[in-house]
């Protein structure tokens, strides 16, 4: 019963509702007793002065047999109308007038009941009134005054069972209403608990599907409460896992291709040189190609090892001052042949001839090389390639811009993700999507950031071709000035 969320919610709600109604009923029953008693006592206190005045008028001022009978008849009438029993006693407690329902054996009132009214204070007591009544009564004692002196006491009594009956009638009404409300509350609790349980079961089932490898499993979000937020977060997690799985699969395929291609080339060329298929005079040419492929294979392995070290926090840097401007000049020279092949117009703008920064020289060289490699690779022929270095707020900022197809807005947030590649129909098939990921992580180790933007440039500014979707893509990263 309590092994499921539904059972716990359902029965805990029922228990809370039942206890709440029970405590409310007990409190209400007690309050009703006090309220009914106090209200009845108040009504008796309102009647008592009239009887006291009538007693003075008909028994003291007009003392005769005729007026005494009128007085007794009036007492009887008041008794019947108000549902009370009336006793009138003198200062000695002797009863000289009472209503017909009071036993003839009652001839006096006990001193304990006389004491308060004789002192001029209205009294309220419960009990059998010294044995005069056979059942518990609520009795109000009111002093009778004549010429500012207390000359007697009038007692008005009402049966407590009658008061309790009124209270129990109200309690039964409360129980009936509470039962209906409790039933409605239980139905509502059942519906709410069922809905919450269904949502949690859906999340649980989706989690099992993802655990079994089905990353397309999603949760249907039907509310905005905490469970709905949990479902939305779960879907976000599932989307991230699916993307990670897709990029991981793509990475495996790309790396397999990257590893297989140079290895095949290297082994094929060496085998052909050894068996004489390739003439000896051309052996050097083919061995040079094999050497180039082996170096590319080594770089790929190095990148993968560095990524592994970074993920384990084992990648170390040697922070020393060096000239950033000079490093960029040397890097441009390395790309000179590729720049000339594409007829790129290179513009270099440094804030000063020497820009000294403090960083790990090898790491920053890899950053600049990667950015330059991408800039040249994705530039359209005869377009502009701009490199700018400026200083601000104790930092040196390097901006590398190129013109070409650029990066789509939906791809911008992911360009630094591991294994991510943009439009695979245009990108270099040799890329593995590790370059920019390495760049970002190398800068992060230095406590620095890199940002990218890709904006449209007008056709007239580009090449005059109205159908050419030209963009200017800029990468900007920072380093601490030495």
């Amino acid at each position: 019963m309590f092994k499921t969320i539904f059972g716990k919610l359902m029965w805990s709600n029922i228990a809370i509702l039942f206890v709440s109604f029970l405590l409310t009923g007990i409190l209400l029953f007690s309050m009703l007793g006090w309220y009914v008693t106090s209200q009845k006592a108040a009504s008796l206190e309102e009647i008592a002065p009239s009887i006291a005045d009538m007693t003075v008028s008909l028994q003291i001022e007009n003392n005769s047999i005729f007026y005494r009978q009128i007085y007794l008849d009036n007492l009887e009438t008041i008794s019947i109308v108000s549902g009370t029993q009336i006793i009138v006693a003198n200062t000695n407690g002797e009863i000289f007038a009472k209503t017909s329902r009071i036993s003839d054996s009652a001839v006096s009132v006990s001193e304990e009941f006389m004491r308060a009214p004789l002192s001029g204070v209205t009294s309220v007591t419960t009990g059998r009134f010294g044995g005069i009544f056979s059942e518990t009564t609520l009795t109000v004692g009111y002093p009778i005054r004549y010429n500012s002196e207390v000359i007697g006491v009038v007692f008005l009594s009402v049966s407590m069972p009658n008061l309790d009956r009124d209270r129990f009638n109200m309690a039964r009404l409360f129980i009936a209403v509470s039962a209906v409300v409790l039933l409605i509350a239980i139905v509502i609790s059942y519906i709410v608990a069922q809905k919450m349980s269904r949502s949690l079961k859906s999340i649980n089932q989706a989690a099992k599907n993802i655990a079994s490898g089905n990353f397309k499993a999603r949760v249907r979000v039907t509310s905005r409460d905490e469970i709905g937020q949990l479902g939305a977060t779960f879907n976000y997690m599932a989307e991230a896992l699916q993307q990670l799985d897709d990029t991981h699969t793509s990475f495996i395929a790309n790396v397999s291709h990257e590893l297989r291609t140079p290895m095949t080339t290297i082994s094929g060329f060496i085998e052909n040189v050894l068996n004489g298929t390739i003439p000896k005079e051309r052996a050097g040419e083919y061995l040079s190609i094999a050497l180039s492929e082996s170096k590319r294979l080594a770089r790929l392995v190095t990148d993968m090892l560095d990524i592994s070290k970074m993920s384990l926090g084992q990648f170390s840097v040697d922070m020393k001052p060096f000239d950033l401007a000079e490093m960029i000049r040397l890097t441009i020279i390395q790309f000179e042949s590729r720049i000339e092949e594409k007829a790129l117009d290179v513009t270099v703008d440094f804030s000063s001839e020497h820009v000294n920064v403090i960083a790990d020289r090898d790491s920053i060289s890899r950053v600049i090389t990667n950015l330059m490699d991408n800039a040249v690779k994705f530039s359209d022929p005869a377009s502009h390639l701009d490199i700018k270095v400026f200083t601000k707020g104790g930092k040196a900022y390097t901006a590398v811009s190129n013109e070409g197809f650029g990066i789509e807005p939906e791809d911008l947030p992911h360009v630094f993700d591991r294994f991510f590649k943009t439009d695979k129909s245009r990108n270099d098939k040799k890329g593995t999507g590790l370059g920019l990921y390495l760049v970002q992580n190398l800068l992060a180790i230095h406590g620095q950031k890199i940002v990218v933007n890709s904006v449209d440039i007008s056709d007239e500014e580009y090449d005059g071709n109205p159908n050419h979707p030209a963009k200017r893509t800029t990468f900007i990263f920072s380093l601490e000035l030495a």
Side-chain angles (χ1 to χ4, degrees), residues 24 35 114 340:
T24 303
Y35 177 77
M114 295 291 296
E340 290 178 352

Side-chain angles (χ1 to χ4, degrees), residues 31-313:
M31 293 296 292
L32 278 174
W34 170 85
Y35 177 77
V36 171
T37 302
S38 61
Q39 286 295 105
K40 195 61 180 179
S43 66
L44 294 179
E45 289 178 22
E46 291 178 358
I47 300 172
S50 300
I51 299 175
D53 293 341
M54 185 176 67
T55 301
V56 171
S57 176
L58 298 179
Q59 288 293 94
I60 305 300
E61 297 178 349
N62 298 291
N63 189 10
S64 68
I65 297 175
F66 175 73
Y67 282 110
R68 179 175 176 78
Q69 188 60 47
I70 293 175
Y71 173 72
L72 293 175
D73 291 342
N74 286 340
L75 285 184
E76 198 68 33
T77 301
I78 294 172
S79 173
I80 294 171
V81 172
S82 61
T84 61
Q85 300 184 64
I86 303 171
I87 295 176
V88 181
N90 60 23
T91 55
N92 295 322
E94 297 173 351
I95 299 174
F96 69 89
K98 59 184 178 182
T99 53
S100 60
R101 288 180 293 169
I102 298 176
S103 173
D104 292 336
S105 62
V107 294
S108 64
V109 177
S110 175
E111 182 185 354
E112 64 175 303
F113 301 109
M114 295 291 296
R115 191 177 301 119
L118 288 177
S119 66
V121 179
T122 302
S123 65
V124 179
T125 60
T126 56
R128 295 189 177 183
F129 202 55
I132 293 177
F133 301 111
S134 60
E135 60 185 6
T136 303
T137 59
L138 171 68
T139 302
V140 172
Y142 186 83
I144 302 173
R145 289 182 176 86
Y146 182 71
N147 292 332
S148 301
E149 292 183 8
V150 177
I151 62 170
V153 180
V154 56
F155 293 98
L156 292 93
S157 301
V158 63
S159 174
M160 284 298 290
N162 292 336
L163 296 179
D164 290 338
R165 187 163 48 250
D166 293 339
R167 184 169 59 159
F168 277 106
N169 287 336
M170 296 183 69
R172 278 194 291 269
L173 179 61
F174 171 78
I175 292 173
V177 173
S178 298
V180 175
V181 174
L182 184 61
L183 181 61
I184 295 173
I186 289 174
V187 172
I188 294 174
S189 297
Y190 177 85
I191 295 172
V192 172
Q194 187 76 351
K195 183 178 180 181
M196 293 178 65
S197 176
R198 190 183 301 114
S199 299
L200 292 174
K201 286 180 180 179
S202 175
I203 295 174
N204 183 46
Q205 185 58 47
K208 290 181 179 179
N209 291 335
I210 288 179
S212 63
N214 179 18
F215 296 109
K216 294 182 178 180
R218 297 293 183 273
V219 177
R220 183 183 176 187
V221 179
T222 57
S223 63
R224 296 184 179 180
D225 56 13
E226 287 81 355
I227 293 181
Q229 294 173 11
L230 176 63
T233 303
F234 182 90
N235 288 340
Y236 177 79
M237 178 201 70
E239 186 71 27
L241 288 174
Q242 184 175 6
Q243 290 180 0
L244 181 62
D245 182 66
D246 292 342
T247 54
H248 181 264
T249 301
S250 176
F251 171 73
I252 295 296
N254 288 334
V255 169
S256 298
H257 175 74
E258 288 295 309
L259 292 174
R260 184 174 60 251
T261 301
M263 290 175 65
T264 302
T265 301
I266 293 170
S267 61
F269 284 171
I270 293 176
E271 183 179 353
N272 288 333
V273 169
L274 292 176
N275 61 23
T277 303
I278 295 176
K280 291 184 179 181
E281 60 272 14
R282 298 193 61 188
E285 176 185 347
Y286 284 95
L287 288 175
S288 296
I289 296 174
L291 178 61
S292 176
E293 288 296 307
S294 66
K295 289 180 178 180
R296 185 163 72 88
L297 182 60
R299 286 196 300 271
L300 176 61
V301 173
T302 299
D303 287 346
M304 294 178 65
L305 289 174
D306 287 343
I307 289 173
S308 177
K309 289 180 181 179
M310 289 176 185
S311 64
L312 296 174

Side-chain angles (χ1 to χ4, degrees), residues 14-29:
I14 291 175
I16 291 172
L17 289 170
F18 180 77
V19 172
S20 299
F21 277 111
L22 180 62
L23 294 177
T24 303
I26 294 173
L27 180 62
L28 181 62
F29 189 76

Side-chain angles (χ1 to χ4, degrees), residues 309-329:
K309 289 180 181 179
M310 289 176 185
S311 64
L312 296 174
Q314 298 176 351
F315 190 87
S316 59
V317 291
D318 183 15
M319 306 290 283
K320 290 182 179 179
F322 64 89
D323 188 350
L324 177 64
E326 181 64 21
M327 177 180 286
I328 293 175
R329 293 189 191 100

